[in-house]
């Protein structure tokens, strides 16, 4: 079974600074998806960024980018120019691509990101 | 386009009562997932459906929990009888099969069992 580990229960960063959230995973598969989801106090789960394992290029979405190291099974999220609205729980998630990808997401325990004004 | 719709948003009930949570997935999505979120255990996959058929219910805690998907636009998660340890936020999510792999989540149903 796949596992996802987020080793930082909480991170704090000054507004406008850059912060990196860590994630590692364990799998024997070669083809899969990785995601970062954001959960603000409203509790809505919002997709931040996705990465397909077969793509070598790191995904980028505006101020959000990832560092995907497939051999190391590492998938960190970098948030540049942090804003107050970025404060939330961030979850790293894994999804198998086998069988058409209908096996759901395996989530890490989450990192609580605090933005200091 | 409407997202995943869940109801109720909040439910407070007494131990022993039956609870039914409802979900309408995004139109055209053919995979539906029920998750439970607690502080202690994080986000756990309870059950998922593909083309309205339950594929894996190994995450369902016990026989008190049951889920149905009678058609492509509706699913229920039922707890009978409810217990205080069932208190959690229950999320429904849907996915377009063989698409990007992304799951789209509803806003969740917060259940409190007294």
């Amino acid at each position: 079974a796949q596992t996802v580990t987020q080793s930082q229960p909480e991170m704090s960063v000054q507004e406008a600074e850059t912060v990196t959230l860590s994630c590692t995973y364990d799998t024997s598969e070669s083809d899969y998806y990785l995601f970062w989801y954001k959960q603000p106090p409203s509790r809505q789960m919002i997709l931040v960024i996705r990465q397909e394992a077969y793509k070598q290029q790191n995904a980028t979405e505006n101020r959000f980018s990832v560092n995907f190291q497939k051999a190391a099974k590492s998938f960190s999220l970098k948030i540049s120019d942090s804003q107050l609205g970025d404060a939330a729980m961030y979850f790293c998630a894994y999804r198998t691509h086998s069988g058409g990808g209908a096996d759901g997401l395996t989530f890490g325990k989450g990192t609580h990101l605090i933005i200091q004004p | 386009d409407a997202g995943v719709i869940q109801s109720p948003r909040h439910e407070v009930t007494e131990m022993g009562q039956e609870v039914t949570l409802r979900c309408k997935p995004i139109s055209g999505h053919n995979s539906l997932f029920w998750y439970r979120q607690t502080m202690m255990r994080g986000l756990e996959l309870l059950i998922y459906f593909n083309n309205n058929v339950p594929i894996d219910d190994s995450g369902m805690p016990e026989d008190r929990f049951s889920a149905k998907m009678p058609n492509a636009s509706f699913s229920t998660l039922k707890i009978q009888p409810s217990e205080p340890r069932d208190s959690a936020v229950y999320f429904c999510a849907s996915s377009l099969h063989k698409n990007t792999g992304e799951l789209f989540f509803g806003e969740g149903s917060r259940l409190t069992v007294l």
Side-chain angles (χ1 to χ4, degrees), chain B residues 7-57:
Chain B
S7 65
R9 283 272 287 164
H10 304 276
E11 175 89 9
V12 180
T13 191
E14 293 189 346
M15 182 173 62
Q17 296 298 305
E18 178 179 294
V19 174
T20 299
L21 308 179
R22 298 173 177 80
C23 175
K24 176 179 169 55
I26 292 173
S27 177
H29 284 192
N30 60 14
S31 294
L32 183 140
F33 306 82
W34 283 100
Y35 280 86
R36 178 172 68 176
Q37 185 178 32
T38 60
M39 288 292 292
M40 291 296 295
R41 301 174 68 90
L43 282 150
E44 303 172 277
L45 177 63
L46 300 178
I47 185 171
Y48 72 90
F49 296 82
N50 194 32
N51 292 323
N52 311 340
V53 176
I55 302 300
D56 184 357
D57 65 354

Side-chain angles (χ1 to χ4, degrees), chain A residues 33 37 50 95 102-103 105, chain B residues 35 48 100-103 107:
Chain A
Y33 300 101
Y37 278 84
R50 71 173 71 83
R95 187 179 190 188
D103 298 329
L105 294 172
Chain B
Y35 280 86
Y48 72 90
T100 63
E102 172 186 353
L103 267 62
E107 293 183 319

